[in-house]
């Protein structure tokens, strides 16, 4: 009985987290399209609901009522599993995101490693979808994206090491609290820039959307998908983008901390600050999509391995030696 | 406690079944997916005994990186066809006894290791040590890894480095006749290199060199 009550309590908490995340994913798709349109001097979605806010809901309804087509030559089990994997991985990562000192679903010791592990698993949804479709364009897209995500994960890992050197803990709440005096975006600014660009590549956003480059690969790994399964890929992608923004906000922008610890700012609760920071990063994501042209594939690989990886490694050495020399290493 | 054992048996059954399926399934890509499932359930078991750092590193390194490269190789090389040919040919029957001997050896070794660890006189009790030291296992791992075992740790790093350099040397080849992009050449290009003003006489035209 006791176990059941714990279970219900947890399920309630999980729903309380996941439903806002899903709703905000829908809103963020709208925001992305509006920003994109704004840059190009168009209107964007503005018909359904006030300011077109319900456009994504209408799109999702359309996808739900469409027929799901499974190609006869595909590997059916894996074909169906792929969007489910993408969506699930995008959602389970939110379990460790701290919204304030106490509002976190699972305050685990290795929170940042968990986030890193889940984001590195994200590549499987794409590979599975691309391979199981048994078709040329999806397979090429999947191969591209796997290579791209594995490459950029390396530099993201090294950037995380930079932050961890300054914190001395893998717990996400500790990382936030360590930024009480100074957000890490100031001392580690080059790492923040590299993290942002790597996050673009990791989530297959333009200018690194080679896996689904519509001019060369139709829609990449999503080509054979239709109806609800396509919608799940699509929602999972945006949930992943929001997640990367959240990771960036926690690692560099002080998570749920308010920018200044003085009177009017301290009235605003922590979750609001975190959401504002996530939105700020997302606006940058959306602007980059509208402004920057697509990279060529070899340039993308060159950027990942020959520029970002050495730069972030050198920065690790610099950070470590600075902390060691001035005896600032966190010890507990 | 009951919930704990339910989870333990679920994860271990999934691990064992998927390990069997890695060898049993006909499709090699399915084998790799079962291998990934195996890795994931093993890392869940690690987390259950309180070794959360090992579990997460297992996920990041094996599932996030190594298995992706496995999948690459298996998908690109068309191993499935070769495997089917091999199983249907006469040759395969010769390899079965060898495989059996090796697997029995590994099994016996595993049993010896488990027995020797269990009946060691000064068996290290995991549960007590956590309560006494009150440090997370990431910290305690770092404390021994960078003090008592620093040499072994450094040597294993060197071995990995040598393996990496070896792989690069083996696959590196200088291709001739391939046009590559050189940023320095592109940036350092001046107007005087590319454009020249030519005085064209009437009725003569101009010869353009390429």
């Amino acid at each position: 009985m006791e176990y059941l009550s714990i279970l219900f309590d947890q399920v309630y908490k999980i729903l309380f987290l996941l439903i806002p995340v899903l709703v905000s994913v829908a809103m963020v798709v709208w925001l992305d399209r509006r920003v994109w349109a704004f840059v190009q001097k168009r209107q964007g979605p503005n018909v359904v609901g006030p300011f077109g806010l319900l456009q994504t809901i209408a799109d999702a309804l359309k996808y739900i009522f469409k027929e799901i087509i499974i190609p006869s030559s595909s590997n059916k089990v894996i074909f169906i599993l792929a969007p489910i994997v993408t969506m699930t991985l995008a959602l389970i990562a939110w379990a460790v995101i701290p919204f304030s000192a106490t509002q976190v679903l699972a305050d685990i010791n290795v929170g940042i490693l968990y986030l890193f592990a889940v984001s590195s698993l994200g590549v499987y949804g794409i590979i599975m979808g691309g391979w199981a479709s048994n078709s040329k364009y999806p397979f090429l897209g999947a191969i591209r994206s796997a290579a791209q995500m594995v490459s950029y994960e390396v530099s993201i890992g090294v950037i995380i090491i930079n932050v961890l050197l300054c914190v001395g803990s893998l717990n996400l709440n500790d990382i936030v609290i360590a930024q009480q005096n100074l957000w890490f975006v100031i001392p580690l600014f080059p790492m923040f820039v590299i993290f942002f660009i790597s996050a673009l590549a990791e989530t297959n956003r333009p200018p690194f959307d080679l896996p689904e480059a519509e001019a060369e690969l139709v829609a990449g790994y999503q080509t054979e998908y239709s109806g609800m399964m396509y919608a799940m890929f699509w929602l999972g992608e945006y949930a992943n983008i929001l997640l990367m923004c959240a990771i960036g906000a926690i690692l560099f922008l002080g998570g749920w901390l308010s920018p200044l610890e003085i009177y009017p700012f301290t009235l605003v609760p922590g979750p609001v600050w975190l959401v504002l920071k996530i939105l700020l990063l997302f606006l940058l994501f959306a602007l980059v999509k509208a402004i920057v042209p697509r990279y060529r594939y070899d340039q993308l690989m060159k950027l990942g391995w020959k520029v970002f990886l050495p730069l972030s490694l050198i920065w690790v050495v610099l950070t470590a030696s600075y902390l060691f020399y001035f005896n600032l290493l966190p010890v507990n | 406690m009951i919930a704990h054992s339910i989870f333990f048996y679920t994860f271990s059954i999934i691990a064992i079944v998927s390990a069997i399926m890695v060898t049993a399934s006909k499709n090699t890509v399915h084998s790799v997916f079962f291998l990934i499932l195996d890795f994931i359930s093993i890392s869940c078991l690690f987390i259950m005994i309180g070794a959360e750092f090992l579990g997460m590193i297992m996920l990041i390194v094996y599932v996030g990186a190594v298995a992706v490269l496995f999948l690459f190789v298996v998908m690109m090389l068309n191993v499935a066809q070769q495997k089917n040919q091999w199983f249907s040919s006469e040759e395969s029957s010769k390899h079965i006894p060898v495989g059996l001997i090796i697997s029995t050896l590994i099994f016996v070794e595993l049993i010896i290791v488990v027995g020797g660890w269990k009946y060691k006189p000064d068996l290290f009790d995991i549960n007590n040590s956590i309560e006494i030291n009150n440090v997370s296992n990431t910290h305690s791992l770092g404390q021994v890894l960078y003090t008592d075992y620093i040499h072994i740790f450094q040597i294993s790093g060197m071995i990995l480095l040598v393996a990496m350099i070896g792989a690069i040397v083996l696959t590196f080849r200088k291709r001739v006749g391939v046009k590559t992009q050189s940023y320095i050449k592109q940036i350092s290009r001046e107007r005087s290199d590319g454009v020249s003003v030519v005085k064209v006489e009437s009725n003569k035209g101009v010869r353009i060199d390429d």
Side-chain angles (χ1 to χ4, degrees):
Chain A
M1 254 348 266
E2 195 192 344
Y3 182 68
L4 274 183
S5 68
I6 296 172
L7 194 73
F8 280 127
D9 190 41
Q10 289 297 322
V11 167
Y12 169 73
K13 277 185 190 164
I14 291 170
L15 286 181
F16 198 73
L17 176 71
L18 278 193
I19 291 171
V21 166
L22 283 173
V23 172
S24 56
V25 164
M27 292 301 115
V28 139
V29 174
W30 168 83
L31 180 70
D32 188 33
R33 293 176 65 184
R34 282 301 285 231
V35 171
W36 199 9
F38 178 74
V39 173
Q40 296 174 344
K41 281 198 163 184
R42 290 186 287 117
Q43 285 290 315
N46 64 347
V47 177
V48 191
F51 309 107
L53 263 170
L54 298 177
Q55 180 64 47
T56 321
I57 315 277
D59 285 348
L61 274 178
K62 185 190 78 174
Y63 283 126
I64 290 170
F65 289 118
K66 274 192 169 182
E67 187 189 354
I68 293 175
I69 300 166
I70 300 175
S72 58
S73 64
S74 68
N75 194 316
K76 288 182 189 57
V77 179
I78 296 181
F79 188 80
I80 295 170
L81 219 55
I84 299 175
V85 166
T86 308
M87 191 71 192
T88 315
L89 285 174
L91 292 182
I92 60 168
W94 287 91
V96 295
I97 300 285
F99 286 90
S100 75
T102 47
Q103 283 164 300
V104 47
L105 202 58
D107 195 8
I108 57 176
N109 281 334
V110 287
I112 189 71
L113 282 184
Y114 173 83
L115 280 181
F116 190 55
V118 170
S119 75
S120 69
L121 290 187
V123 66
Y124 283 110
I126 293 169
I127 300 190
M128 285 162 91
W131 179 77
S133 302
N134 200 1
S135 154
K136 297 287 184 295
Y137 289 131
F139 188 62
L140 281 174
I143 292 280
R144 273 185 179 188
S145 100
Q148 174 180 334
M149 288 171 86
V150 169
S151 315
Y152 278 85
E153 239 162 55
V154 182
S155 61
I156 287 188
V158 177
I159 292 163
I160 289 176
I161 290 175
N162 267 306
V163 175
L164 294 184
L165 272 174
C166 307
V167 180
S169 167
L170 297 171
N171 185 304
L172 288 171
N173 254 330
D174 289 348
I175 293 177
V176 172
I177 290 165
Q179 303 178 56
Q180 211 137 33
N181 298 323
L182 186 66
W183 292 0
F184 287 143
V185 66
I186 297 164
L188 298 175
F189 185 72
M191 289 303 102
F192 175 68
V193 174
I194 293 182
F195 176 84
F196 181 73
I197 300 172
S198 302
L200 287 175
E202 183 78 7
T203 50
N204 295 330
R205 283 283 289 187
F208 305 113
D209 60 340
L210 273 307
E212 46 198 282
E214 64 270 13
E216 6 183 324
L217 289 181
V218 189
Y221 59 92
Q222 301 168 341
T223 308
E224 303 288 343
Y225 282 89
S226 61
M228 199 53 214
M229 287 158 82
Y230 176 77
M232 278 177 84
F233 261 132
W234 181 61
L235 289 177
E237 209 170 278
Y238 273 91
N240 256 328
I241 292 165
L242 271 189
L243 180 73
M244 283 318 262
C245 294
I247 297 176
I250 287 167
L251 287 183
F252 292 103
L253 298 180
W256 41 262
L257 291 173
S258 61
L260 290 169
E261 292 293 332
I262 48 173
Y263 171 64
F265 291 109
T266 45
L267 280 180
V268 182
V272 177
W273 284 119
L274 183 68
V275 169
L276 281 178
K277 286 165 187 172
I278 292 175
L279 273 182
L280 176 79
L281 280 177
F282 185 80
L283 269 177
L284 278 179
F285 264 69
L287 280 175
V288 167
K289 177 181 184 174
I291 293 168
V292 186
R294 186 178 292 134
Y295 255 59
R296 218 172 54 205
Y297 194 70
D298 62 320
Q299 288 174 332
L300 170 88
M301 283 314 212
K302 211 177 240 174
L303 186 71
W305 287 106
K306 294 187 182 170
V307 181
F308 284 178
L309 184 59
L311 255 180
S312 42
L313 272 175
I314 290 170
W315 206 265
V316 168
V317 175
L318 278 180
T319 315
S321 12
Y322 178 82
L323 292 174
F324 186 75
Y325 188 74
F326 291 99
N327 217 1
L328 291 169
L329 277 172
V331 182
N332 42 353
Chain B
M1 215 52 218
I2 296 170
H4 194 272
S5 16
I6 291 173
F7 281 123
F8 173 76
Y9 283 114
T10 319
F11 287 132
S12 16
I13 288 169
I14 293 174
I16 292 169
V17 169
S18 54
I20 293 170
M21 287 307 289
V22 171
T23 49
S25 72
K26 273 272 163 63
N27 192 328
T28 37
V29 177
H30 287 181
S31 296
V32 181
F33 282 128
F34 277 117
L35 187 68
I36 293 162
L37 185 60
D38 200 20
F39 284 148
I40 292 176
S41 30
I42 296 287
S43 83
C44 290
L45 286 175
F46 268 131
I47 293 166
M48 281 189 66
I49 60 168
E52 69 253 13
F53 184 77
L54 274 184
M56 288 303 161
I57 289 294
M58 178 105 183
L59 271 187
I60 293 169
V61 174
Y62 285 96
V63 185
V66 174
V68 174
L69 301 180
F70 263 43
L71 261 185
F72 256 39
V73 173
V74 168
M75 282 173 178
M76 304 285 258
L77 290 186
N78 205 4
V79 193
Q81 211 184 346
Q82 289 173 0
K83 195 180 166 189
N84 285 337
Q85 279 173 0
W86 191 77
F87 271 114
S88 56
S89 67
E90 290 282 303
E91 245 181 295
S92 62
S93 57
K94 291 177 198 162
H95 293 278
I96 289 172
V98 182
L100 274 179
I101 291 169
I102 292 175
S103 47
T104 338
L105 265 178
I106 294 173
F107 185 66
V108 170
E109 276 178 351
L110 272 178
I111 285 183
I112 292 171
V113 165
V114 170
W117 175 70
K118 185 93 189 170
Y119 297 109
K120 201 179 162 211
D122 52 341
L123 180 63
F124 189 66
D125 198 341
I126 302 166
N127 297 324
N128 288 342
S129 70
I130 289 173
E131 282 167 24
I132 293 166
N133 293 331
N134 201 19
V135 289
S136 73
N137 76 57
T138 316
H139 276 118
S140 44
L141 204 69
Q143 271 160 10
V144 287
L145 203 60
Y146 291 99
T147 51
D148 299 348
Y149 299 103
I150 181 71
H151 295 297
I152 298 169
F153 184 68
Q154 295 270 339
I155 289 168
S156 56
M158 286 303 278
I159 292 172
L160 280 176
L161 180 69
V162 169
M164 194 177 86
I165 294 173
I168 293 171
V169 168
L170 280 178
T171 52
F172 186 78
R173 62 202 162 97
K174 202 137 190 103
R175 285 180 294 178
V176 281
V178 178
K179 281 183 183 169
T180 48
Q181 199 178 16
S182 155
Y183 296 134
I184 299 165
K185 221 172 161 184
Q186 285 180 342
I187 295 166
S188 58
R189 199 172 136 94
E190 295 278 333
R191 182 177 176 274
S192 53
D193 306 335
V195 188
S196 59
V197 182
V198 183
K199 194 115 185 134
V200 186
E201 287 179 45
S202 64
N203 290 331
K204 284 270 175 70
V206 150
R207 187 162 170 271
I208 300 167
D209 293 320
D210 43 291

